[in-house]
């Protein structure tokens, strides 16, 4: 199939997932056309089946905001025609689903019929999508998509609760490339972070308020009082300055290491003992899955789709949002019980093995077949 993939090219989960999906589909013989404003962050290497088309929304003195959505829709039309696309798959509803609807309508006028698959990732529904500035367009463009998928059952239910949806939503979970996310011991690296054999806790996110990274620091503070440990904070975002200030304020700035944005997250996870994800919104928690694949149990909140990934008392623990004391208590119950800890590590890997690209990617292929059939029926 020739598939146009539209996504955010950044380090965010939706862009990572879309990129990994494109690579996996290309490896299965599909021709993939990424359509976005920048090369996706995780698209490193040349692949004979992968093309990248940059969207340029040009500045003009009249525009306070460059009309990206119009430029994106126009690029989709152009690529669909000249690359003979079979299908458009857009990740994150805003504004991609609306731009895809526009492209599809333009193509229809030219007697070209291209189905649109929209994958909902989370904040496009739970945060931004619910904003009345966007909601009517989100609802409309979801309903105009030929197939809609969501990355968890929880997100599906949330979408159906918030919006007047007319069709079904297929749940297709996030996946990772397990050949990359495999635990590889690196004693030298571990020694450089924890020279006295301290436990290493880690957290990855875009450091936005909804990630509650301050809770990760509070959890760490509680644990630090009982066992020697270090905290690695991977990523960057608007909350970073206040988090750095918090680390200094509690006197743990030498133990809390801000690593910034990283490409080889798997290397850092490989020297970690526990992963902390205290989010107040999380449709799935791709970062938790990455940690689990590297045999790192997860201490998390119980929000959104997290309980579909992190199983309480098996692969890690779930707590109420904001209950950092309970999170710390759960973490200590593992760090202070080696036998139990080993069991949780094995369970984390076993659960992560249910979200492989071999299991998940064919589910997207089936959805594409369904979209092509739906589209044919409407012609
Ligand atoms: O977590 C973020 O803020 C980034 C966001 C995105 O849209 O890029 O991630 C969302 O999509 C990921 C991939 O499907 C999910 O694993 C994350 O749980 C989800 N984030 C939220 O729902 C907050």
């Amino acid at each position: 199939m020739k598939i146009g993939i539209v996504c955010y090219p950044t380090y965010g989960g939706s862009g990572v997932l879309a990129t990994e999906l494109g690579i996996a589909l290309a490896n299965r013989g599909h021709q993939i056309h990424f359509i976005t404003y920048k090369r996706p962050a995780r698209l490193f290497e040349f692949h004979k089946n992968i093309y990248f088309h940059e969207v340029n929304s040009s500045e003009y003195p009249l525009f306070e905001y460059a009309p990206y959505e119009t430029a994106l829709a126009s690029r989709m039309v152009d690529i669909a025609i000249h690359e003979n696309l079979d299908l458009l798959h857009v990740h994150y509803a805003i504004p991609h689903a609306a731009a895809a609807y526009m492209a599809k309508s333009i193509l229809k006028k030219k007697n070209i019929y291209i189905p649109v698959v929209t994958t909902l990732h989370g904040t496009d529904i739970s945060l931004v999508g619910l904003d009345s500035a966007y909601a009517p367009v989100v609802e409309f463009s979801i309903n105009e998509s030929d197939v809609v998928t969501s990355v968890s059952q929880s997100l599906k239910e949330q979408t159906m609760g918030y919006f007047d949806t007319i069709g079904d939503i297929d749940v297709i979970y996030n996946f990772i490339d397990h050949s990359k996310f495999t635990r590889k011991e690196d004693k030298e690296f571990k020694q450089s972070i924890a020279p006295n054999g301290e436990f290493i806790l880690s957290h990855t996110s875009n450091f936005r308020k909804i990630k509650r990274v301050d809770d990760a620091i509070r959890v760490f503070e509680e644990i630090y009082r009982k066992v020697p440990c270090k905290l690695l904070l991977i990523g960057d975002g608007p909350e970073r300055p206040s988090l750095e200030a918090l680390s200094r304020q509690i006197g743990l700035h030498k133990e809390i290491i801000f690593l910034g944005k990283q490409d080889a997250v798997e290397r850092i996870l490989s020297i970690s003992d526990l992963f902390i994800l205290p989010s107040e919104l999380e449709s799935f928690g791709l970062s938790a899955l990455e940690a689990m694949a590297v045999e790192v149990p997860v201490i998390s909140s119980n929000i959104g789709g997290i309980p579909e990934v992190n199983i309480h008392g098996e692969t890690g623990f779930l707590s109420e949002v904001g209950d950092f004391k309970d999170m710390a208590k759960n973490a200590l119950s593992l760090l202070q019980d080696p036998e139990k800890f080993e069991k949780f590590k094995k369970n984390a890997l076993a659960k992560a093995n249910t979200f492989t690209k071999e299991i998940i990617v064919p589910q997207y292929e089936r959805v594409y077949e369904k979209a092509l059939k739906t589209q044919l029926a409407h012609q």
Side-chain angles (χ1 to χ4, degrees):
M1 257 184 242
K2 292 184 177 180
I3 304 159
I5 294 186
V6 177
C7 64
Y8 283 104
T10 51
Y11 284 84
S14 63
V16 169
L17 197 277
T19 310
E20 294 293 348
L21 175 62
I23 295 169
L25 288 166
N27 285 334
R28 290 166 74 89
H30 300 283
Q31 193 182 91
I32 303 301
H33 294 264
F34 284 102
I35 310 169
T36 181
Y37 60 84
K38 209 166 71 187
R39 182 182 59 80
R42 285 221 185 155
L43 191 64
F44 306 114
E45 285 166 19
F46 172 78
H47 191 301
K48 69 178 171 58
N49 289 342
I50 298 181
Y51 299 82
F52 165 52
H53 309 267
E54 194 163 312
V55 179
N56 292 304
S57 38
S58 45
E59 301 291 336
Y60 184 69
L62 196 63
F63 303 150
E64 178 140 2
Y65 308 101
Y68 178 66
E69 200 173 320
T70 306
L72 175 62
S74 298
R75 201 84 178 100
M76 283 195 241
V77 169
D78 184 66
I79 293 156
I81 294 172
H82 296 108
E83 300 292 349
N84 238 328
L85 294 186
D86 295 303
L87 181 134
L88 283 164
H89 185 178
V90 301
H91 292 260
Y92 205 93
I94 304 168
H96 301 151
Y101 168 74
M102 172 73 92
K104 181 174 139 176
S105 309
I106 295 167
L107 289 162
K108 199 171 165 189
K109 288 271 177 213
K110 297 176 190 292
N111 292 322
I112 298 170
Y113 299 93
I114 302 255
V116 171
V117 174
T118 297
T119 291
L120 308 173
H121 280 274
T123 46
D124 45 355
I125 298 301
S126 60
L127 200 68
V128 196
L130 267 188
D131 184 331
S132 59
Y134 303 109
V137 175
V138 172
E139 184 177 273
F140 175 81
S141 49
I142 287 176
N143 285 335
E144 286 297 324
S145 301
D146 294 276
V147 178
V148 179
T149 78
S150 77
V151 299
S152 63
Q153 183 63 29
S154 152
L155 182 60
K156 171 179 175 170
E157 284 161 18
Q158 216 176 13
T159 307
M160 295 175 100
Y162 289 163
F163 295 114
D164 204 358
T165 48
I166 50 175
D168 195 16
I169 295 176
D170 290 84
V171 175
I172 305 185
Y173 288 118
N174 283 179
F175 68 96
I176 49 166
D177 181 350
H178 283 254
S179 63
K180 189 167 151 196
F181 284 91
T182 306
R183 193 165 187 97
K184 292 184 196 88
E185 296 302 335
D186 185 341
K187 284 195 180 131
E188 211 176 307
F189 182 28
K190 188 156 188 160
Q191 173 87 9
S192 70
I193 301 286
N196 302 309
E198 297 93 335
F199 286 114
I200 299 179
L201 282 71
S202 56
H203 166 85
T204 317
S205 75
N206 50 18
F207 290 35
R208 294 193 176 271
K209 270 209 177 334
I210 56 160
K211 297 294 176 178
R212 297 185 72 101
V213 189
D214 49 338
D215 279 357
I217 292 179
R218 293 295 181 197
V219 173
F220 176 74
E221 188 187 11
E222 295 282 321
I223 299 170
Y224 184 79
R225 285 194 197 136
K226 303 270 168 37
V227 296
C229 51
K230 299 274 181 181
L231 174 63
L232 299 181
L233 294 176
I234 309 157
D236 215 325
E239 295 298 301
R240 182 165 170 180
S242 64
L243 296 164
E244 286 177 342
L246 176 62
S247 312
R248 286 192 288 270
Q249 188 196 318
I250 60 173
L252 292 180
H253 50 286
K254 294 227 171 74
E255 327 303 328
I256 300 174
I257 305 162
F258 288 81
L259 294 172
K261 287 180 184 162
Q262 295 282 335
D263 284 327
V265 177
E266 65 283 3
R267 268 198 74 198
I268 303 161
L269 292 172
S270 276
I271 61 159
S272 303
D273 295 295
L274 284 180
F275 187 77
I276 306 178
L277 188 66
S279 310
E280 70 183 53
L281 282 178
E282 205 66 69
S283 65
F284 181 90
L286 183 59
S287 59
L289 175 57
E290 291 178 343
M292 286 160 60
V294 181
E295 300 170 42
V296 180
V298 174
I299 301 298
S300 69
S301 65
N302 59 3
I303 207 70
I306 298 180
E308 294 171 58
V309 187
N310 183 25
I311 310 303
H312 185 69
E314 262 180 49
T315 64
F317 289 102
L318 304 168
S319 305
E320 294 296 323
V321 172
D323 195 347
F324 62 86
K325 284 196 191 268
D326 191 55
M327 292 179 197
K329 189 188 89 204
N330 289 335
L332 282 163
S333 80
L334 291 179
L335 298 177
Q336 294 177 322
D337 184 342
E339 211 175 300
K340 186 173 167 190
F341 199 7
E342 281 313 306
K343 202 165 157 234
F344 273 60
K345 288 181 195 172
K346 286 202 181 80
N347 292 345
L349 174 61
K351 181 67 183 172
N353 281 338
T354 64
F355 301 105
T356 63
K357 62 179 179 188
E358 290 73 17
I359 295 172
I360 304 294
V361 177
Q363 296 178 17
Y364 277 110
E365 288 176 323
R366 283 197 283 280
V367 153
Y368 296 160
E369 297 292 348
K370 184 164 112 179
L372 286 165
K373 277 195 201 125
T374 314
Q375 177 67 20
L376 272 177
H378 286 145
Q379 270 177 39

